[in-house]
Amino acid sequence: MSSSKTTIKDVALKAGVSIATVSRFLNNIPLKEGNRKRIEEVVKELNYQPLLYARRLAGGKLDTFGLIIPGYEGIFYSFYALEIIREVASSLGVKGIDLHLNIFWDKDNFKTSLIDGVIMADVIGNENQLKRLVAEDVPLVVINRQIEDVDVSCVAVNNFKGAYEATEFLVHHGHKRVAHLAGDLRVKCAQDRVEGYKSALEKNGVALLKDYIKITNFSRKEARFKLEELFSLKNPPTAVFCCSDEIASEVLNFAEERRIIVPKELSVVGFDDNPHCLYGNLMLTTIRQPLKAMVQQAVKILEENVESKKSTQQIVLDTELIIRDTVDFI
Amino acid sequence: MSSSKTTIKDVALKAGVSIATVSRFLNNIPLKEGNRKRIEEVVKELNYQPLLYARRLAGGKLDTFGLIIPGYEGIFYSFYALEIIREVASSLGVKGIDLHLNIFWDKDNFKTSLIDGVIMADVIGNENQLKRLVAEDVPLVVINRQIEDVDVSCVAVNNFKGAYEATEFLVHHGHKRVAHLAGDLRVKCAQDRVEGYKSALEKNGVALLKDYIKITNFSRKEARFKLEELFSLKNPPTAVFCCSDEIASEVLNFAEERRIIVPKELSVVGFDDNPHCLYGNLMLTTIRQPLKAMVQQAVKILEENVESKKSTQQIVLDTELIIRDTVDFI
DNA sequence: GTGAAAGCGCTAACAG
DNA sequence: CTGTTAGCGCTTTCAC
């Protein structure tokens, strides 16, 4: 009530200083200790909160970052999205930065005037938006995706390498019939994982079978159809590398129903290290994505860019193989 | 680049009118058709976008709503949270309203100056924040929770009734040994579901056994421990009503492992109608929460409150029993 | 209908 | 170190 109406003027008046001095106080510019203290008291007493938009209009910052996430189901309905939102909110929270969330559905309605900078979580379907933001010179960092044709900072995960390691891990356990349940290939990370898988087989002299690569679009339902197909094959796989832990846990369910013993008869590796997929008596062997680190890096870079235009940076973080129960020698 | 610098002045100049007229145009105030058209052209040509904070400072709206979600794991890491975020983002998106997302961790750092109104998704741990916002007279709607001691609008789900129906449905199938895997009782909806469960048993003359109520905190892991306990009982339950579909699907996993046939030997009812829990060959019988309807109602009420202070409203929406495969007669 | 002018609350020179 | 002052871009009286 009252607090929403108190302005810098009221504070200045009550503290017996000019509004400029109060402004300095708000911006942590050194003051005579006496004044600093008096103002601090008055601010508390009046429960004064500066109007951020007035501040911004006068040239200050909004202390708000935007986060743009594609509304595409495979992304937005995933562990990934919530984890990103959570981590962005969390890292911004400790810095006192607010979060403006925008889901990109089909048209670009992101209002740049409400933020100091933007994090784009992956780019799928909104490539034009990316270009527009770059053109408007909005401080920007893209996560989980490397952008080749636009000069923009990004922090990504080495999906290729992660997939390579996962697949090689299976091969090193003697598996020759390794299937891959892939994600939606419109999503870059899904593509990269397929490539990593292929490359690992090739480098290790294992024949690549087309029938062993199945697209799931990250959906459990789709995964199930594809599993039926895989296990109707003359030579069903002895190992499956999955594009996500959720898909992997569907493999576990499927195996359970079919009485296929994991890992004795079937080895499984996931991707994500999603804690929600760690249940049952079998702990999933998986590739951990450094999502938190990725977000933290992105926030750091964005802060720098907001402070002063820096040159763009491209960072690629490594994944980590987490060895648990679902892989065995054949 | 250019667009981020074009102001109302540029538009006025180029269109040969005063800035006041452009402002009128922006606010859909009737103009002479000639002017309207000219301004429209110039706006498009210059790719002009009004600076929202300047507009707000001058008395206009920001067209931004805040969404506050408790950071508490059981909420924030759930289907519920993502669904709420998704639906809020979606309903606001079509109205051209932006979303300011705030996760409440431990201290109240929500800046009301960046929004026109606030939706609070449940209130757990941040009761003081709620009171502060009410005191500051910020337009506010609480969802998924009825607030008794504060005069505020809310849109909630009838969790009691939903749980009652679920439990009664089991009892009507002849079950006398009905267990309940409850959520975290600090969360109001979890409490209500326990009460609904109890009430249904009582009304139907089924003995209430303390050992049949187990707290899971909405976590699969915890659910598994409690399932072990339940099925070590001298008289294990023949039916389980779960606080969420995720917990229910854990029951399905557990049953599968123990070779307990669902629904022949064990009936299961969930809560949520979470599409992510619809996999495998058994489709879960569950209670559907009208989350989307809830959010839409909340947005509607909030819009009204922003336009003109209305009296507070309290709306309770009914759940729906979705009958699928996991309940059978005993 | 339209224009001129007065702010909204704050920051950032510029003097002192 | 501090106060004075001129805006930031927009809306909104108030005249015309």
Side-chain angles (χ1 to χ4, degrees), chain A residues 8 20 29 36 50 65-66 74 78 80 99 103 114 137 153 170 176 192 199 221 235 239 241 260 271 277 299 310 315:
Chain A
I8 198 172
I29 293 167
R36 215 194 58 72
F65 284 175
S78 66
Y80 170 77
L99 173 58
I103 313 301
L114 293 168
D137 221 21
S153 293
L170 289 167
K176 300 284 179 200
D192 291 347
S199 177
K221 204 175 186 180
N235 285 311
F241 163 52
I260 300 170
F271 209 107
C277 294
V299 169
K310 292 233 179 155
I315 294 178

Side-chain angles (χ1 to χ4, degrees), chain A residues 82-264:
Chain A
L82 192 49
E83 189 72 6
I84 293 293
I85 293 176
R86 188 180 172 97
E87 189 57 29
V88 169
S90 165
S91 359
L92 294 185
V94 297
K95 293 167 190 279
I97 300 176
D98 275 30
L99 173 58
H100 203 83
L101 180 66
N102 186 269
I103 313 301
F104 181 91
W105 303 104
D106 45 357
K107 58 185 189 315
D108 179 6
N109 56 6
F110 187 74
K111 301 174 194 131
T112 55
S113 72
L114 293 168
I115 46 87
D116 297 322
V118 180
I119 293 174
M120 294 183 83
D122 217 322
V123 177
I124 161 166
N126 52 340
E127 289 75 11
N128 286 334
Q129 181 175 54
L130 166 64
K131 283 176 189 151
R132 178 199 132 212
L133 294 175
V134 170
E136 287 190 16
D137 221 21
V138 179
L140 176 63
V141 178
V142 176
I143 58 177
N144 206 36
R145 183 124 153 67
Q146 293 170 70
I147 309 290
E148 290 88 11
D149 54 336
V150 184
D151 183 40
V152 61
S153 293
C154 27
V155 185
V157 161
N158 200 332
N159 285 292
F160 178 90
K161 197 169 158 207
Y164 188 99
E165 280 176 14
T167 309
E168 190 163 66
F169 184 69
L170 289 167
V171 172
H172 284 176
H173 277 76
H175 293 276
K176 300 284 179 200
R177 305 208 308 264
V178 182
H180 176 39
L181 289 174
D184 182 335
L185 296 189
R186 286 173 302 172
V187 181
K188 188 60 168 42
C189 66
Q191 266 180 46
D192 291 347
R193 289 173 202 170
V194 173
E195 293 309 319
Y197 159 82
K198 285 183 179 172
S199 177
L201 291 186
E202 191 184 316
K203 286 274 161 55
N204 285 278
V206 176
L208 176 66
L209 275 181
K210 255 225 152 152
D211 283 345
Y212 278 178
I213 302 184
K214 299 287 185 185
I215 311 297
T216 68
N217 293 342
F218 297 112
S219 119
R220 291 189 107 117
K221 204 175 186 180
E222 201 61 32
R224 182 156 288 265
F225 290 138
K226 299 306 165 66
L227 281 166
E228 310 273 6
E229 289 178 20
L230 279 176
F231 285 84
S232 311
L233 255 34
K234 223 185 329 183
N235 285 311
T238 61
V240 186
F241 163 52
C242 305
C243 63
S244 78
D245 279 0
E246 224 186 322
I247 298 299
S249 79
E250 191 59 30
V251 176
L252 263 31
N253 289 339
F254 178 86
E256 182 82 32
E257 286 166 28
R258 293 266 186 131
R259 306 285 180 257
I260 300 170
I261 314 282
V262 175
K264 279 279 157 266

Side-chain angles (χ1 to χ4, degrees), chain B residues 122-135:
Chain B
D122 217 322
V123 177
I124 162 165
N126 52 341
E127 289 75 11
N128 287 333
Q129 180 177 53
L130 167 65
K131 282 177 190 151
R132 180 201 129 208
L133 294 175
V134 171

Side-chain angles (χ1 to χ4, degrees), chain A residues 165-166 169 245 268-270 272-274 278 283-289 319-327:
Chain A
E165 280 176 14
F169 184 69
D245 279 0
V268 182
V269 180
D272 276 347
D273 196 27
N274 179 343
L278 274 186
M283 303 289 261
L284 193 60
T285 292
T286 192
I287 301 292
R288 174 180 296 157
Q289 294 199 72
T319 56
E320 187 188 351
L321 173 64
I322 307 290
I323 301 176
R324 287 194 279 243
D325 309 335
T326 55
V327 173

Side-chain angles (χ1 to χ4, degrees), chain A residues 8 23 27 48 50-51 54-55 58:
Chain A
I8 198 172
S23 172
N27 291 285
Y48 166 69
L51 242 39
R55 163 179 285 188

